[in-house]
Amino acid sequence: MNRPASKYFSALSNPTRLAIILSLLKGEKCVKELVKELRVEQSVVSHNIRQLAEAGLLKQRREAKFVFVSLTDKAYPLLKLLRGQDALKRGVETSLDDTVLGLKKLADLIPLPVLIHRGVRIEFANRAAIRLFFGGASGGRAMMGRVLMDLLTPEGKAKLIKRQERLRAGESLPTEEYTIMRDDGSQLRVEANMVLVRMDGGYGFFTVARDVTAERERERIQTEAAARFRGILEATSFGVVVLDRDDRIAYINPRLAAMTGGRPADYIGRSPAEIMTGETFALISKKIGQRRKGVAETYDLDMKFRDGRVLRTTCTSNPIFDKQGNYDGLVNIIIATRGDEPDKKP
């Protein structure tokens, strides 16, 4: 997943990446400095730097044989998630000593739900995890020794086993979604990132989670609403065409495609310039320029096609803008003013 929240979420889930971010609060550092400061192998530091850079949180520059890294502006929203940065840094330093106690201290400092488990048996849940997974069971003692599988659907159990196998094999994996079955019978949808950690001479897993139940429900509602709206557009008696920000046809309903002598699939991804005469496209280009300025209008348009067909219409055109206020395309509602079929050129 490519959302900013997921990038931040991934950065929080690994003690080494968190230690790198906190170390760079003081300013740019050479990779060798980070290796010495964190007391881990250079390959581990380089691997985590690469992941942070891919997430857009770090930038790198080379000077002679040395590589220097520093935080990008995108890293600072992540730091706002962290309460008590000094305490957090001490927790990270302790956790890098690979003790269960150190990992627990780090988990308690992270405001997101964290589980520490050997295989599928839970050894620790921080306060946020207790609230999320177990509905706030007293003190978290009821979590000790619980089997993580008890919280998952059959599909989730299979994903968890496969994920642990891949982590043990040395892979670095993106976040995964699971449906959580709580003791009170309710279900949650969570996004979780699991990393392999050393624990008192052995190995375990440090899992950071995020509740995405409400987010997924909003997406479901939006998807259903979009499907209903699309159904209306498919059945309507007037034509509809949507151009994207690059002035290519992103959607055309069956009615307009029929008016213009084709099928929707014939037009998707094409520019009006490929279909219209030069004279008609020059006029359309002028109208698109008005949409980019935020102007909506209704006007008469003779749509002249390269094959000689002409469709006389009344067109209502409205611009589309994204959440940042940038032009994102336009939607046209087109009504044929002289029959449903285009006239033939004499």
Side-chain angles (χ1 to χ4, degrees):
M1 21 193 94
N2 203 22
R3 294 174 296 235
S6 296
K7 296 176 183 179
Y8 298 160
F9 177 65
S10 179
L12 278 172
S13 69
N14 183 286
T16 303
R17 287 198 289 274
L18 198 49
I20 291 170
I21 289 173
L22 291 170
S23 177
L24 293 176
L25 281 173
K26 299 176 181 177
E28 182 183 70
K29 289 186 179 180
C30 175
V31 172
K32 288 192 174 182
E33 288 181 82
L34 289 170
V35 170
K36 184 177 180 180
E37 179 182 336
L38 302 181
R39 306 188 302 281
V40 293
E41 296 178 3
Q42 181 163 339
S43 60
V44 174
V45 172
S46 297
H47 172 73
N48 284 283
I49 285 175
R50 184 166 61 252
Q51 289 190 316
L52 290 168
E54 289 173 355
L57 299 174
L58 293 189
K59 54 187 176 182
Q60 306 177 64
R61 69 175 182 87
R62 181 175 291 276
E63 187 175 307
K65 297 181 179 180
F66 300 100
V67 175
F68 292 84
V69 292
S70 58
L71 298 177
T72 66
D73 291 340
K74 294 180 180 179
Y76 292 97
L78 169 62
L79 300 178
K80 293 180 182 179
L81 292 174
L82 309 178
R83 60 172 192 256
Q85 290 175 17
D86 292 338
L88 178 63
K89 185 172 182 180
R90 291 194 297 272
V92 170
E93 291 170 348
T94 302
S95 73
L96 292 173
D97 291 332
D98 303 318
T99 66
V100 175
L101 179 61
L103 289 169
K104 289 179 180 179
K105 288 181 177 179
L106 176 61
D108 263 337
L109 289 166
I110 294 177
L112 294 169
V114 176
L115 293 176
I116 298 172
H117 48 103
R118 294 183 191 270
V120 297
R121 193 164 296 279
I122 299 169
E123 295 214 355
F124 179 76
N126 70 354
R127 288 183 291 275
I130 293 167
R131 289 192 298 272
L132 177 63
F133 293 105
F134 309 103
S138 179
R141 293 181 180 178
M143 276 71 275
M144 295 294 293
R146 284 283 296 270
V147 176
L148 193 52
M149 294 297 197
D150 293 343
L151 301 173
L152 301 176
T153 62
E155 178 191 4
K157 293 174 184 178
K159 285 198 296 187
L160 178 67
I161 291 172
K162 184 65 176 178
R163 189 176 186 83
Q164 290 189 349
E165 290 174 353
R166 294 176 67 185
L167 288 170
R168 288 190 180 102
E171 292 187 54
S172 179
L173 304 175
T175 57
E176 183 72 84
E177 285 197 15
Y178 299 89
T179 297
I180 299 300
M181 316 289 290
R182 301 210 310 184
D183 291 343
D184 61 6
S186 61
Q187 294 186 16
L188 298 175
R189 192 70 179 172
V190 301
E191 185 180 76
N193 197 4
M194 181 188 305
V195 293
L196 188 69
V197 291
R198 291 197 297 271
M199 292 170 57
D200 292 340
Y203 286 91
F205 298 92
F206 190 91
T207 297
V208 184
R210 183 170 72 95
D211 184 0
V212 294
T213 307
E215 187 177 326
R216 295 297 173 262
E217 179 62 13
R218 285 195 299 272
E219 290 173 356
R220 183 189 67 79
I221 293 172
Q222 289 170 356
T223 299
E224 290 182 356
R228 287 195 297 271
F229 183 64
R230 189 182 184 93
I232 294 171
L233 294 181
E234 300 286 303
T236 189
S237 61
F238 50 79
V240 179
V241 62
V242 177
L243 300 188
D244 62 21
R245 69 183 66 184
D246 298 317
D247 305 331
R248 292 191 170 274
I249 297 171
Y251 172 79
I252 182 170
N253 73 340
R255 183 59 172 169
L256 181 57
M259 286 182 194
T260 55
R263 302 168 303 167
D266 299 332
Y267 298 99
I268 301 301
R270 299 179 69 180
S271 165
E274 300 176 40
I275 305 164
M276 307 292 178
T277 63
E279 174 190 358
T280 303
F281 183 67
L283 176 59
I284 289 174
S285 295
K286 183 178 180 181
K287 298 296 185 182
I288 290 174
Q290 293 294 99
R291 300 298 85 75
R292 290 181 180 276
K293 296 176 182 178
V295 178
E297 63 177 323
T298 298
Y299 55 93
D300 293 331
L301 173 66
D302 284 355
M303 299 172 63
K304 298 179 181 179
F305 297 86
R306 287 188 172 185
D307 62 3
R309 292 175 297 113
V310 177
L311 180 65
R312 293 185 172 87
T313 71
T314 296
C315 178
T316 298
S317 186
N318 290 276
I320 302 170
F321 294 92
D322 62 22
K323 292 180 179 179
Q324 287 72 45
N326 301 313
Y327 176 78
D328 204 29
L330 62 85
V331 58
N332 284 349
I333 297 175
I334 297 172
I335 299 174
T337 57
R338 187 171 174 181
D340 292 340
E341 298 296 330
D343 295 335
K344 297 293 183 181
K345 184 176 180 180

